[in-house]
Amino acid sequence: MSFELINSKLLVGFGTTCLLFLLTLVLSLPLGLLIMFGLKCPFKPIKWLCNVFVWAIRGTPLMLQLFVVFYVPSMLFGLRIFSFTSTTVFDGRFIAALITFVINYACYFSVIFRGGVDNISRGQFEAGKVLGMTKSQIFFKVILLQVIKTVIPPVSNEVITLVKDTSLARVISVAEIFFINETEILTKAIVWPLFYIGVFFLLFVGLLTVLFNYIEKKLSYFKA
Amino acid sequence: MAYLEVQNLNKSFGKTEVLKGIDLSVEKGEVLSIIGSSGSGKTTLLRCMNFLEFADSGKMILDGETLIDGDSVKKESENELRKKRLNFGLVFQSFNLFPQYSVLKNLTLAPTLLLKERFKEYKKTEKDGQKRKEWLAAEKKAINDDCLALLDRVGLTEKANSYPCELSGGQSQRVAIARALALKPKILCFDEPTSALDPELTGEVLKVIKGLKNKDTTMIIVTHEMGFAKSVSDKVIFMADGIVEEEGTPKEVFGATKSEKLKAFLSNVTDKEGE
């Protein structure tokens, strides 16, 4: 196999990895916020339910969750939600992996967000109240940016983990970079692509680190 | 009936009775100081009046409008509470400025949010888009001018574009006072406004509060600064164990003290000041 051929195959796989990463991030952050509201809900049953859910998701391996989401609907109920035949990037396997990642990461984010909100002094909420703001105005105009500032470091940790966790999608045969490498390249006893993949990830994470440093710097004009 | 009338106000936290039937009245333009040792219920009283805590029973009537009637507040919607809160301004011990906004934006934020609501109402009557735009621009400018004038009043015009983390404690508290005034509350409350400040910074804040005193500004001040309470107040209340132990003009309360508890409290405070 020529370098060009291997390179193009790996790039396709890496494209899938990137897509999975980006979509997971974009969807899990707002879902995490939603679950956070559930965790802080004064109505006990909702709070309890969210806590159990977060416990279950954080307490089981991501790999197990991938299997469950992808196989269980068809095995138990005969539902073919996720088509097993691969045609485009957005095939059933990809969607199943995406759903799993979004739920999994939303749970981690929700706990980080809750910590961030709990960290904001009660006085900020009260100051908003006595100034006649509504609850949502207080949250979005006063609290949110302060929470974002305090959660950036833990969130950046999770995001970097997510980059690497995408490789787990391989277990349900999503055609991401490891799957392609394993099925099409490693079988031919070519070793160097492993290092090549390592460099991919290093660059990706390096880019994210720069981005998060930039955001932190942008928000350093105030003290939360 | 007085401008603000509080009658038999009660509040418990669990089994602890914090307020046991508070009565007080304030006339328009008066300054009322509330003194008393820690745990006497001063702050809780202020928080009940600002609807940050909900009274269990009693009444509060402001300018003829009944704001608290028994435990009615506990059942009220967030929106009703919000409207009631707007009657009062509250300056906190710990300033609670919004750190991500500039000083000026701290002042304009709440009035601008209220403007949005007024704009919705206005839109119902005015269909002309151009006029709407002009109306909104004029109102925004009015808010901005008002707030700049308030900053001038507390002597911080040059800090308009600074952020709270760049201010000293005294400056922060002066901004907080201006922010509370920006909504033109009927009654301005202070919850130990100088307790979080270094001693050399309390003076500037007290000076600003004194400067606010006029026939239209009604103020309720919870304070540990006896000298200040003496000089600024029209009326002083001494609270102990959840009741009003003594009340009267500063002369009566500080000069002709009747209650033993107040005597003990005052001698304690002056002892400390002498140290």
Side-chain angles (χ1 to χ4, degrees):
Chain A
M1 278 174 101
S2 69
F3 173 80
E4 282 77 24
L5 186 63
I6 294 174
N7 188 37
S8 69
K9 279 182 188 291
L10 287 177
L11 279 178
V12 169
F14 198 63
T16 310
T17 298
C18 288
L19 196 64
L20 190 56
F21 165 79
L22 279 175
L23 287 174
T24 303
L25 194 61
V26 168
L27 296 171
S28 63
L29 284 169
L31 184 64
L33 199 63
L34 206 68
I35 299 175
M36 184 272 281
F37 285 124
L39 290 173
K40 289 189 71 67
C41 184
F43 184 59
K44 287 278 153 56
I46 291 184
K47 184 180 175 162
W48 186 81
L49 206 72
C50 286
N51 268 306
V52 170
F53 184 69
V54 169
W55 170 62
I57 297 294
R58 292 202 305 170
T60 53
L62 184 51
M63 197 188 282
L64 177 70
Q65 292 163 15
L66 281 164
F67 284 131
V68 168
V69 170
F70 186 56
Y71 292 113
V72 167
S74 65
M75 288 198 299
L76 277 189
F77 312 108
L79 294 172
R80 296 299 292 268
I81 301 176
F82 309 114
S83 80
F84 285 26
T85 50
S86 188
T87 46
T88 60
V89 184
F90 285 108
D91 61 357
R93 295 171 189 279
F94 182 88
I95 301 290
L98 181 62
I99 290 173
T100 316
F101 281 127
V102 167
I103 292 175
N104 186 282
Y105 273 82
C107 284
Y108 282 96
F109 286 140
S110 71
V111 178
I112 293 176
F113 294 161
R114 181 179 58 182
V117 173
D118 288 348
N119 221 2
I120 306 292
S121 83
R122 203 176 57 158
Q124 290 289 310
F125 293 89
E126 292 184 344
K129 275 188 187 174
V130 295
L131 289 169
M133 295 185 200
T134 63
K135 273 189 177 162
S136 76
Q137 283 171 344
I138 292 173
F139 185 79
F140 288 105
K141 299 280 179 185
V142 175
I143 306 299
L144 188 60
L145 192 63
Q146 297 184 52
V147 173
I148 290 175
K149 183 183 163 90
T150 53
V151 301
I152 287 289
V155 164
S156 73
N157 262 343
E158 284 302 317
V159 170
I160 286 170
T161 310
L162 172 62
V163 176
K164 293 169 287 175
D165 270 359
T166 52
S167 57
L168 276 173
R170 190 251 161 276
V171 300
I172 54 169
S173 307
V174 173
E176 52 72 66
I177 195 163
F178 280 90
F179 182 78
I180 294 198
N181 182 54
E182 214 175 313
T183 52
E184 302 189 30
I185 300 165
L186 211 55
T187 47
K188 302 192 171 64
I190 307 170
V191 173
W192 64 262
L194 287 176
F195 296 96
Y196 187 92
I197 290 170
V199 172
F200 263 138
F201 277 91
L202 277 175
L203 286 178
F204 198 166
V205 171
L207 204 69
L208 286 171
T209 310
V210 171
L211 179 73
F212 277 111
N213 285 343
Y214 174 77
I215 298 173
E216 268 187 59
K217 211 175 158 198
K218 270 270 152 190
L219 292 176
S220 66
Y221 73 93
F222 73 89
K223 290 195 183 82
Chain B
M1 182 171 275
Y3 187 58
L4 174 76
E5 190 101 25
V6 173
Q7 297 163 354
N8 197 23
L9 202 74
N10 288 283
K11 172 72 188 169
S12 302
F13 293 108
K15 279 185 183 153
T16 322
E17 271 189 83
V18 183
L19 301 179
K20 304 169 190 165
I22 300 290
D23 293 295
L24 63 86
S25 64
V26 186
E27 293 298 340
K28 194 167 183 176
E30 262 187 353
V31 176
L32 168 73
S33 291
I34 304 177
I35 57 171
S37 41
S38 303
S40 59
K42 311 180 298 285
T43 295
T44 305
L45 173 62
L46 215 54
R47 290 172 62 85
C48 282
M49 293 167 68
N50 281 275
F51 306 96
L52 290 176
E53 303 289 350
F54 301 143
D56 297 323
S57 65
K59 268 193 169 193
M60 180 165 77
I61 302 155
L62 172 66
D63 205 4
E65 189 189 350
T66 305
L67 299 178
I68 296 177
D69 191 4
D71 62 350
S72 60
V73 256
K74 291 183 180 170
K75 298 166 204 141
E76 263 159 22
S77 71
E78 196 54 36
N79 212 24
E80 282 167 350
L81 284 173
R82 209 162 64 79
K83 287 205 182 96
K84 288 186 174 180
R85 279 195 190 106
L86 283 171
N87 287 306
F88 295 85
L90 178 60
V91 174
F92 297 88
Q93 185 177 342
S94 50
F95 331 133
N96 295 333
L97 295 179
F98 304 136
Q100 72 269 45
Y101 294 126
S102 69
V103 164
L104 184 61
K105 184 86 196 280
N106 260 279
L107 268 64
T108 55
L109 180 66
T112 310
L113 291 173
L114 289 171
L115 173 64
K116 277 184 190 160
E117 285 171 40
R118 282 194 287 138
F119 187 53
K120 265 185 204 158
E121 289 300 310
Y122 175 77
K123 271 203 229 168
K124 285 178 194 161
T125 56
E126 181 59 65
K127 299 288 171 218
D128 186 346
Q130 186 60 33
K131 273 191 182 162
R132 280 179 180 180
K133 258 189 206 161
E134 283 168 12
W135 183 88
L136 196 63
E139 291 289 323
K140 273 190 181 157
K141 189 173 179 304
I143 289 175
N144 214 50
D145 291 349
D146 271 1
C147 291
L148 282 171
L150 282 170
L151 276 184
D152 185 43
R153 216 166 145 191
V154 298
L156 287 172
T157 306
E158 79 281 8
K159 296 284 182 191
N161 295 316
S162 303
Y163 285 90
C165 63
E166 298 160 345
L167 303 177
S168 72
Q171 290 169 337
S172 298
Q173 195 58 302
R174 280 146 67 195
V175 172
I177 292 169
R179 182 176 71 173
L181 286 169
L183 289 172
K184 304 183 179 72
K186 288 180 179 161
I187 294 192
L188 185 56
C189 303
F190 295 86
D191 184 13
E192 302 186 19
T194 57
S195 295
L197 297 177
D198 292 336
E200 73 263 30
L201 298 177
T202 58
E204 54 179 283
V205 171
L206 297 179
K207 210 173 114 194
V208 164
I209 299 175
K210 258 187 192 169
L212 297 178
K213 201 178 152 153
N214 65 39
K215 63 178 178 13
D216 294 320
T217 316
T218 314
M219 296 191 274
I220 299 178
I221 307 171
V222 168
T223 183
H224 286 297
E225 303 279 337
M226 292 307 137
F228 173 66
K230 220 183 267 185
S231 65
V232 78
S233 321
D234 299 296
K235 204 183 222 177
V236 179
I237 278 182
F238 170 66
M239 279 180 71
D241 301 319
I243 58 165
V244 177
E245 179 80 16
E246 186 153 348
E247 66 173 302
T249 63
K251 259 189 192 159
E252 289 164 357
V253 170
F254 293 108
T257 313
K258 284 171 276 180
S259 135
E260 287 305 316
K261 277 184 190 166
L262 177 54
K263 275 180 194 160
F265 173 73
L266 288 176
S267 78
N268 245 334
V269 176
T270 36
D271 274 0
K272 263 184 219 144
E273 276 171 2
E275 265 167 24

